[in-house]
Amino acid sequence: MSAASHAHLPTKAMDTPVIDSVKLEAFFMRAVGDLSAGYAGVMVSLGTRLGLYKAMAGAGPISPKELAARAGCAERYVREWLNAQAAGGYVEYHARSETYELTPEQAMVLADEDSPAYIPYAWNVPASMWADENKAIHAFRTGEGVAWGDHAERMVCGVAAFYRNGYRASLVPEWLPALDGVVARLEAGIEVADVGCGHGHSTVLMAQAFPKSRFHGIDTHALSIAEARRHVTEAGLSQQVSFDVASAVNYPDRQYGLICFFDTLHDMGDPVAAARHAAEVLAPDGTVMLIEPLASDRVEDNISPVGRLYYAASSVLCCAHAISEGGKLVLGAQAGESRLAEVFRRAGFTRFRRAAETPFNMVLEVRR
């Protein structure tokens, strides 16, 4: 073989990709940042369960010793926890006085359980995802599903708590008024179904605001229904609100003036059947309110921190549950408005519009 022929043969050096050291370092540090965020979630959970954030809220600059005394914790642990919080920007550090401070804005996110921005309980969800990793691996390899009730307990509690404050801030003052004529009907008195109600926070909020209407929460998860019944008893609304274990395709026909799907339709194994049943049990002038994660129709338009959060959760929670229910149409958490509209079109609905949106959700109004 001639030297010229050798010149055309691939060599190991030629096959080795050229590494851009700047890009490598940038991506590596991004991964380290994500790793740091994972550690931060554990610190937030500890700070919440130990009452450290609440002890700091409104206190101004505070020393580790004083905070430890307020929260009933050991100072040495508290000092290290505070340094982790300061390094992550979760508290302010005052070097001159060697004190730490939770600002009012940070307190809204970390200490005020009634704030719409309160987020600590959301870290229960990734904790559950780690605990259920072997189930996810099995599901990925076999194509089988994983039902909501088969996840670690922290997942259901974390999802309910994460959505509760968002619903409290927006459902009654913003979302319902965005629907055509629905508030007036609720004030006059109608039957309302909350399909996939979970712990019942959304159901109770609506019942408190509209005492002349009757509300019926349904969910397939028996433990969530038990928790919802506890919540409604505590709220003193047992005569106005009922909770039952049922699916989205077999709850009773009460000719509902409003049927709500709060972040649940994309979890269902047959969303078209769920929409079709809603059409059958909806009053002639009734409305379906569909709350779904905010998403565009194209993947490239969902490349964002929120998009990553939803796609990740969808990989091991939403899609897994839909597959566990038969998976006739597995929408996923980032289904997009067009796919959701098609679900209701196939079920016989003719009117579909986006009535409102938040950074996390879109509010869709559906009518026949």
Side-chain angles (χ1 to χ4, degrees), residues 179-186 188-191 254-259 278-279 281-288 349 351 365-368:
L179 305 178
D180 186 22
V182 167
V183 168
R185 295 187 185 99
L186 286 166
I190 56 175
E191 301 288 325
R254 294 188 173 93
Q255 289 298 288
Y256 302 96
L258 177 65
I259 297 177
V281 301
L282 192 67
D285 61 346
T287 299
V288 172
F349 289 87
R351 289 182 285 172
E365 180 184 73
V366 191
R367 297 196 175 197
R368 286 183 299 201

Side-chain angles (χ1 to χ4, degrees), residues 329-352:
L329 176 61
V330 182
L331 288 170
Q334 296 280 268
E337 189 170 344
S338 294
R339 293 180 69 201
L340 295 168
E342 176 63 14
V343 166
F344 282 88
R345 188 197 65 76
R346 289 171 60 185
F349 289 87
T350 60
R351 289 182 285 172
F352 188 97

Side-chain angles (χ1 to χ4, degrees), residues 87-156:
Y90 278 42
V91 305
E92 300 295 317
Y93 176 61
H94 303 293
R96 181 172 295 181
S97 60
E98 296 185 349
T99 57
Y100 304 79
E101 182 177 5
L102 191 70
T103 68
E105 296 78 17
Q106 291 165 338
M108 285 191 66
V109 176
L110 299 170
D112 182 0
E113 293 192 36
D114 294 326
S115 163
Y118 186 74
I119 203 171
Y121 292 139
W123 266 283
N124 282 308
V125 178
S128 168
M129 291 164 72
W130 276 115
D132 294 331
E133 183 182 20
N134 285 338
K135 293 180 181 179
I137 289 172
H138 178 78
F140 269 64
R141 286 177 172 162
T142 64
E144 297 175 6
V146 183
W148 281 93
D150 291 338
H151 288 285
E153 182 183 9
R154 294 181 73 172
M155 190 275 289
V156 177

